[in-house]
Amino acid sequence: MAAAGAEAAAVAAVEEEEKKRLPEGDPESGGDSEDEGDSESSGDGEDEEKENEAEIQRLEEQLSINAFDYNCHLDLIKLLRQEGELVKLRRARQKMSELFPLTEEIWLDWLKDEIKMASESSEREKVYELFERAVKDYICPEIWLEYAQYSIGGIGQEGGIEKVRSIFERALIAVGLHVTKGTALWEAYREFENAILETAQPAPGSVPSPEQQQMLCSQLEKIHTLFRRQLGIPLLDMEASYAEYEEWSEDPIPETIIKNYKKALQQLEKCKPYEEALLGAETPKLAEYQAYIDFEMKAGDPARIQLIYERALAENCLVPDLWARYNQYLDRQLKVKELVLSAHDRAVRNCPWTVGLWIRYLLAMERHRVDHGIISEMFEKALNAGFIQATDYVEIWQAYLDYLRRRVDFTQDSSKELEELRSAFARAVEYLKQEVEERFSESGDPSCTIMQNWARVEARLCNNMQKARELWDNIMTKGNAKYANMWLEYYNLERAHGDTQHCRKALHRAVQCTSDYPEHVCEVLLTLERIEGTLEDWDAAVQKTENRLARVNEQRAKAAEKEAALAKQEEEKAEQRKQARAEKKASKKAKKNRIGDKRKADDDDEGEWGQEEEEQPSKRHKGDGDGVLPEEDMEVETGLFGRSGPEKPDRPANQKEKASTSRKDIPKVLHDSSKDNVTVFVSNLSYNMADPEVKLKELFESCGEVAEIRPVFSNKGVFRGYCYVEFKEEKSALQALGLDRKVVEGRPMFVSPCVDKNKNPDFKVFRYSTTLEKHKLFISGLPFSCTKEELEDVCKAHGNVKDIRLVTNRAGKPKGLAYVEYENEAQASQAVLKMDGLTVKEHVIKVAISNPPLRKLPDKPEAGRASQFAVPRQVYGARGKGRTQLSMMPRALQRQSNPVAKAENGMVQNSPATSSEPPEEPKKMSNADFAKMLLKK
């Protein structure tokens, strides 16, 4: 009877599922059929259908070119679903799922479509297989709930009830601890067991048999157990579940269950702040999830830790660091093979560009003794993952070669594994040379670390020094022979596994070839001969090292002389430029005086003009006619002198004196090197700082007593943006270094130790990084009007922005470029994916990981080049051609002709210097008359 009841329930469930599967518009569902007479609607539908077919074809062609275009997959699936192309739709979803883990929404749409089409038992099995794939991509409560409810439709089959229970139990293990969504799964499980209980009840008025009674008791115990298990877990609405249990149970709740329930309530109170933070946070909620993970890690429950990691990854699947931390936890704590390998596989499918995830996956497979063929296949997938830099390929090859080396039994002279290792080493070298160099224009392995490791394996493990020497010879021919450390690495290998003869030969070659630290290899050679060499060997080594060091010292001396000559040449050029400027200024002043004398001698210029010249003889020409000329005349006057007046006003006399005095007072050597320990060097200050000494003294007095501040000025007395700050005590100078990068007047101030670079050439000064920075983005194509705040608003949606630097030219104008620094590589990677191609103020920006190209240092100026650059300045003056385009018309003639010009234009204006009577109109001059007047000597 119980079986019959279960079957009836199964049939009812199946009928319910059939009702759900009836499509809209079906006659059985009461839907209306379409109006076939509407020809206009039919025509529009045909046009839209053709457009969709063309778009589908375009998307399929695009995917045939680039199968990893995620958005293209989504668009194709959406169109095929809209058109009802079920066969193509299934194929498109299948291809996408092979390349990417699918999100919860995509899986639910796919499953619902397949459920509608599945009617026979064989088709139901395919749906079960699809559910199994879905629950492996991400842990999603909704998918598990859909899976369990779908399985209820098959309870009429053999073992159907047990299969449903099995799926519910797996779902509880996966997401039953989910604080906010786990309750729905527990309730669905209980409802299912209650339905089974209803079917097992005896008919009214009948006495149950012993078998029926036993089944009833067993079913009641199952429901009791579900209630008790649920009440021991911290879930939202626990109080409602407890009240329901009290109402349902005929017996009082045991004390142990009440105790577990209260303990779970306390745990829920601790979790609530983190759940509320997640509820109120904006995507991607990475910081909130990390705080929740840290909280669960302290509690130490593996199941809860795993669940919170999975919840975080469902919303941050493109964050490599999060996957790495999760996989590390699984590798070190849980160590369950299926769970660990599944997590690693999902990590590399979500973030295939991150080489670290692939390396951890290979290690995990080796750790769990996965078949060698599968590991090799996974390595080949890694090579095709599309890493973003050449060094990533070196790392993945090194990890795979390490794995192959661990498989070899080196006690045997030859084996299949050893040959495979050697073949892999050779393939790695060829791959980096052919594939990687062609793509990145660099091998990623300039020091040949893979070949070095190959040589070590041959020498130490295979006792094959001949092969090791061949490899090292190849390494040296790749541009490494000039480095002392490379020779010493080879020498140490020969010392450990070779013989003295080859050690000596290597060091003799090193002495000859090394260019960076020849003294070091010379010392090593002499040490070898001192311990093991004969007198002849010693003499030969001494002679060789002395000759080499003599040549090195000679080359260094020549380089120093050349440097000094260039410096002297630059000084002479600077002095010549200074003299040329002085002569130019003197000639200009003399010219001014001559023009002023002319004006004084002119009868028409008496009165206000003459008085102004007498009172202010040193003023520039622009102010000479302020009382007479109207506005347009002023513009002409300014143009005659290159518009230099308003742009570069003359200094007052006292300012000139101050500048000249400062030039005389500033010594060439601004700093005593004996006081380096109590002095700091401050740079990157604003050139417009009004009083640097006062400003900086106020700033640095917080570090200790300031002895002196020595700002550096140019020849014209302008502050050059750097200075020396000398303290009374050394501890004050050390404390002042803490002010490095402090913003002063809108610029980051650089504070560094005071070091003589001539004595300490290796001392590092601040420079922007020119190497790959995975946590920093380079953005181009920005509108010039984009501010730092506006860019920060765009970037902070993808992570915590530490710093933003807008790139400008020397004049401070933006170049449309920016560097954005995030807290970690994960946030930067996600920002690249989300922001590249984004439109900002109608500008499409490009976003990439910051990897500036290597900068070539400019060649030092040669002697012949100086004259080339000096010619334009002598011909055109300090402001270029504009300074030489002077009008050949005397000022007096200009003033006479101006009223005429204005009269012709109908804009006659009386000068304040003229009388109230209208002046006599001068005779108009033709072009020929005008030319004669100008050419008259």
Side-chain angles (χ1 to χ4, degrees):
M1 187 174 179
E7 186 174 353
V11 172
V14 171
E15 289 178 353
E16 185 65 26
E17 290 295 328
E18 290 293 337
K19 288 180 182 178
K20 291 180 182 178
R21 287 199 294 272
L22 286 173
E24 294 181 5
D26 194 297
E28 293 181 17
S29 64
D32 296 329
S33 61
E34 294 182 358
D35 185 2
E36 297 179 357
D38 191 351
S39 59
E40 184 178 350
S41 174
S42 176
D44 293 342
E46 288 178 2
D47 293 340
E48 185 179 355
E49 185 177 349
K50 288 180 181 179
E51 290 178 3
N52 289 343
E53 287 178 359
E55 181 65 11
I56 288 171
Q57 186 176 356
R58 186 191 69 80
L59 292 171
E60 288 176 342
E61 290 175 357
Q62 187 172 341
L63 286 174
S64 65
I65 298 171
N66 180 17
F68 288 90
D69 191 335
Y70 189 88
N71 292 326
C72 191
H73 280 285
L74 292 179
D75 294 340
L76 179 60
I77 289 171
K78 182 179 179 181
L79 268 178
L80 290 173
R81 192 166 190 248
Q82 180 180 333
E83 290 297 307
E85 297 281 351
L86 300 179
V87 177
K88 289 185 177 180
L89 176 61
R90 184 180 290 169
R91 190 186 307 125
R93 284 166 166 166
Q94 180 67 29
K95 286 183 178 179
M96 185 178 183
S97 68
E98 290 172 359
L99 297 173
F100 305 101
L102 304 185
T103 62
E104 178 183 333
E105 294 79 8
I106 298 175
W107 271 121
L108 287 174
D109 288 341
W110 189 359
L111 290 165
K112 288 175 182 177
D113 290 343
E114 294 291 344
I115 287 171
K116 289 178 182 179
M117 293 185 290
S119 57
E120 300 178 2
S121 59
S122 60
E123 293 174 340
R124 290 185 65 85
E125 286 300 321
K126 291 181 180 178
V127 177
Y128 283 130
E129 292 175 5
L130 201 60
F131 268 115
E132 288 295 330
R133 289 172 55 188
V135 296
K136 288 178 181 177
D137 273 358
Y138 299 106
I139 292 183
C140 299
E142 288 81 1
I143 294 179
W144 275 110
L145 189 58
E146 189 75 23
Y147 190 10
Q149 289 175 345
Y150 178 73
S151 65
I152 294 175
I155 61 174
Q157 300 174 359
E158 184 179 355
I161 294 178
E162 291 305 319
K163 185 171 185 177
V164 174
R165 284 176 177 154
S166 172
I167 292 172
F168 266 118
E169 287 295 334
R170 289 173 56 201
L172 291 180
I173 292 173
V175 293
L177 299 177
H178 199 297
V179 175
T180 57
K181 298 182 179 180
T183 304
L185 199 59
W186 286 98
E187 290 177 351
Y189 195 180
R190 286 204 317 273
E191 287 175 7
F192 168 73
E193 294 293 355
N194 276 319
I196 299 296
L197 179 64
E198 290 296 327
T199 61
Q201 293 288 350
S206 62
V207 179
S209 65
E211 292 80 6
Q212 290 176 335
Q213 190 65 36
Q214 184 179 357
M215 184 178 177
L216 281 171
C217 292
S218 174
Q219 191 63 25
L220 285 170
E221 185 59 32
K222 283 184 172 65
I223 299 173
H224 273 290
T225 303
L226 280 176
F227 266 119
R228 292 168 183 175
R229 286 168 61 190
Q230 180 183 354
L231 293 175
I233 298 172
L235 300 170
L236 289 183
D237 299 328
M238 289 183 64
E239 297 85 352
S241 300
Y242 183 79
E244 184 182 348
Y245 185 32
E246 280 185 319
E247 184 180 349
W248 180 84
S249 177
E250 298 177 355
D251 302 324
I253 300 176
E255 286 296 326
T256 54
I257 304 302
I258 295 175
K259 184 178 180 181
N260 291 337
Y261 167 70
K262 290 181 178 178
K263 186 177 179 181
L265 269 178
Q266 293 175 356
Q267 181 71 13
L268 177 63
E269 290 301 318
K270 295 178 182 178
C271 295
K272 272 186 178 179
Y274 299 98
E275 294 290 347
E276 290 170 357
L278 287 173
L279 191 63
E282 296 180 359
T283 305
K285 309 178 184 179
L286 195 58
E288 290 77 13
Y289 272 119
Q290 188 57 54
Y292 207 162
I293 290 169
D294 294 339
F295 164 73
E296 294 291 2
M297 290 286 282
K298 290 178 182 177
D301 186 343
R304 299 190 64 82
I305 294 172
Q306 180 193 354
L307 179 62
I308 191 59
Y309 262 120
E310 291 287 353
R311 288 176 60 185
L313 287 166
E315 295 191 47
N316 297 277
C317 58
L318 299 179
V319 181
D321 283 352
L322 190 58
W323 281 109
R325 291 195 293 272
Y326 181 40
N327 290 335
Q328 182 178 351
Y329 172 76
L330 295 177
D331 287 334
R332 296 180 180 179
Q333 302 297 327
L334 295 186
K335 301 181 181 180
V336 180
K337 179 179 178 179
E338 291 75 14
L339 184 61
V340 169
L341 296 183
S342 172
H344 279 287
D345 183 67
R346 289 185 291 137
V348 297
R349 290 178 69 200
N350 277 285
C351 307
W353 65 87
T354 307
V355 68
L357 297 178
W358 287 100
I359 292 174
R360 291 185 181 92
Y361 193 7
L362 294 177
L363 291 171
M365 287 195 290
E366 182 184 2
R367 199 175 290 122
H368 290 280
R369 304 186 184 282
V370 175
D371 184 69
H372 170 62
I374 297 177
I375 296 179
S376 298
E377 183 181 345
M378 192 56 59
F379 167 70
E380 295 298 333
K381 285 184 179 179
L383 286 182
N384 297 319
F387 299 129
I388 60 177
Q389 54 183 346
T391 53
D392 291 343
Y393 288 93
V394 179
E395 291 181 30
I396 194 66
W397 267 111
Q398 193 60 64
Y400 184 59
L401 292 168
D402 291 346
Y403 157 71
L404 293 179
R405 195 265 307 160
R406 289 190 285 266
R407 295 181 68 244
V408 178
D409 182 6
F410 289 100
T411 58
Q412 302 177 10
D413 293 337
S414 180
S415 64
K416 178 183 176 182
E417 290 79 9
L418 179 58
E419 292 306 315
E420 186 178 2
L421 175 62
R422 284 173 170 159
S423 175
F425 267 119
R427 185 190 165 202
V429 172
E430 188 66 20
Y431 186 90
L432 294 177
K433 181 180 178 182
Q434 299 292 336
E435 304 289 336
V436 178
E437 282 193 29
E438 183 177 341
R439 179 180 170 190
F440 296 96
S441 301
E442 58 171 325
S443 68
D445 189 17
S447 58
C448 302
T449 54
I450 287 181
M451 292 181 70
Q452 287 189 47
N453 290 332
W454 188 2
R456 294 187 189 102
V457 168
E458 294 289 354
R460 297 176 183 175
L461 302 177
C462 301
N463 298 317
N464 187 354
M465 274 303 298
Q466 184 60 35
K467 180 65 176 177
R469 289 170 185 139
E470 291 176 5
L471 291 168
W472 267 104
D473 188 62
N474 197 358
I475 290 170
M476 291 304 183
T477 59
K478 292 184 180 296
N480 292 300
K482 58 185 177 181
Y483 300 117
N485 66 315
M486 299 296 287
W487 284 108
L488 295 179
E489 189 70 29
Y490 172 43
Y491 166 73
N492 291 331
L493 192 68
E494 282 284 2
R495 192 76 173 146
H497 305 284
D499 52 52
T500 305
Q501 180 182 358
H502 284 89
C503 288
R504 182 177 290 112
K505 186 184 294 185
L507 289 176
H508 275 272
R509 289 178 63 194
V511 169
Q512 191 68 27
C513 301
T514 300
S515 60
D516 53 354
Y517 299 106
E519 296 89 349
H520 193 25
V521 292
C522 290
E523 184 181 350
V524 174
L525 175 59
L526 293 176
T527 303
L528 173 68
E529 301 300 2
R530 180 175 284 114
I531 295 173
E532 299 188 17
T534 63
L535 179 59
E536 290 78 9
D537 295 332
W538 171 261
D539 290 340
V542 169
Q543 184 176 358
K544 193 172 190 71
T545 55
E546 286 179 350
N547 291 339
R548 175 60 178 159
L549 292 177
R551 287 199 303 273
V552 169
N553 291 332
E554 184 179 347
Q555 291 171 358
R556 289 174 179 171
K558 285 182 179 179
E561 288 177 5
K562 189 176 180 180
E563 191 73 25
L566 287 172
K568 185 176 180 182
Q569 199 173 20
E570 285 299 316
E571 288 181 5
E572 291 174 355
K573 290 175 187 175
E575 188 63 31
Q576 289 173 4
R577 287 194 294 268
K578 187 176 178 182
Q579 290 178 1
R581 284 197 297 269
E583 291 172 2
K584 199 169 190 180
K585 194 180 289 185
S587 64
K588 205 184 296 181
K589 190 172 182 181
K591 191 174 180 181
K592 272 186 184 179
N593 292 334
R594 286 198 300 273
I595 292 173
D597 293 341
K598 252 186 173 181
R599 289 177 183 161
K600 288 181 182 179
D602 197 336
D603 294 335
D604 294 334
D605 295 334
E606 287 181 356
E608 208 167 327
W609 285 77
Q611 292 171 9
E612 189 174 13
E613 286 293 336
E614 289 176 5
E615 292 173 3
Q616 299 176 350
S618 63
K619 284 195 175 181
R620 59 190 182 280
H621 298 313
K622 180 185 173 182
D624 290 346
D626 291 349
V628 177
L629 292 179
E631 189 175 351
E632 278 194 28
D633 295 340
M634 288 296 296
E635 292 180 2
V636 174
E637 289 286 325
T638 306
L640 284 173
F641 291 90
R643 299 188 183 272
S644 60
E647 293 176 9
K648 193 172 181 182
D650 292 345
R651 293 177 184 167
N654 58 348
Q655 206 170 1
K656 286 186 177 180
E657 290 174 7
K658 185 178 179 182
S660 61
T661 306
S662 63
R663 290 198 296 271
K664 293 176 183 177
D665 293 345
I666 295 176
K668 290 186 178 181
V669 181
L670 294 173
H671 174 62
D672 183 0
S673 58
S674 63
K675 297 181 179 180
D676 280 347
N677 60 327
V678 294
T679 308
V680 294
F681 180 69
V682 183
S683 59
N684 202 46
L685 297 168
S686 172
Y687 286 12
N688 299 323
M689 187 176 286
D691 197 340
E693 293 187 45
V694 175
K695 177 76 175 178
L696 295 174
K697 189 169 185 180
E698 294 175 357
L699 191 63
F700 283 96
E701 276 182 340
S702 60
C703 305
E705 186 178 354
V706 178
E708 184 182 6
I709 293 179
R710 297 188 294 278
V712 180
F713 295 90
S714 66
N715 291 334
K716 297 182 179 181
V718 178
F719 181 48
R720 299 186 64 182
Y722 60 91
C723 68
Y724 296 89
V725 179
E726 183 182 326
F727 292 91
K728 292 288 187 181
E729 298 179 355
E730 184 175 355
K731 64 179 182 180
S732 302
L734 295 175
Q735 189 175 349
L737 297 177
L739 296 177
D740 187 38
R741 305 296 189 278
K742 181 179 177 63
V743 177
V744 178
E745 294 189 2
R747 296 168 64 98
M749 173 180 68
F750 301 153
V751 184
S752 57
C754 198
V755 176
D756 188 349
K757 294 179 188 175
N758 294 325
K759 297 179 181 178
N760 299 274
D762 296 332
F763 177 72
K764 303 292 182 183
V765 296
F766 173 79
R767 285 186 178 88
Y768 289 114
S769 176
T770 56
T771 58
L772 178 73
E773 297 173 283
K774 295 184 179 180
H775 65 291
K776 187 180 290 187
L777 304 184
F778 174 68
I779 303 178
S780 59
L782 288 167
F784 292 163
S785 61
C786 182
T787 64
K788 188 174 181 180
E789 292 74 18
E790 290 172 341
L791 183 58
E792 185 176 8
D793 290 340
V794 175
C795 297
K796 69 183 181 182
H798 310 293
N800 295 327
V801 178
K802 289 181 64 179
D803 184 38
I804 292 179
R805 178 166 66 91
L806 294 176
V807 182
T808 61
N809 59 17
R810 291 185 178 181
K813 295 182 179 179
K815 299 175 71 174
L817 310 174
Y819 289 90
V820 180
E821 183 179 355
Y822 282 93
E823 279 192 347
N824 52 50
E825 173 191 350
Q827 297 176 0
S829 300
Q830 187 172 10
V832 169
L833 294 174
K834 298 291 179 65
M835 291 172 57
D836 189 30
L838 189 70
T839 301
V840 177
K841 292 185 177 180
E842 300 181 356
H843 285 66
V844 178
I845 65 173
K846 293 183 179 179
V847 184
I849 298 295
S850 174
N851 189 13
L854 294 175
R855 296 181 181 177
K856 293 184 179 180
L857 294 175
D859 296 332
K860 292 182 179 178
E862 297 176 3
R865 293 184 182 177
S867 59
Q868 297 175 11
F869 292 109
V871 170
R873 294 183 63 85
Q874 292 175 358
V875 174
Y876 300 127
R879 290 180 178 269
K881 289 185 178 180
R883 296 286 290 179
T884 64
Q885 294 172 349
L886 301 178
S887 174
M888 302 300 295
M889 182 186 295
R891 284 175 178 266
L893 292 179
Q894 286 182 11
R895 287 194 294 276
Q896 291 173 2
S897 61
N898 278 335
V900 176
K902 298 203 179 299
E904 290 177 352
N905 290 319
M907 298 174 61
V908 178
Q909 295 183 11
N910 293 329
S911 170
T914 60
S915 63
S916 59
E917 299 178 3
E920 183 180 353
E921 184 176 352
K923 181 181 179 182
K924 292 183 179 179
M925 300 175 67
S926 67
N927 289 340
D929 295 336
F930 196 79
K932 287 178 183 179
M933 181 190 69
L934 288 177
L935 295 174
K936 186 179 180 181
K937 295 183 180 179

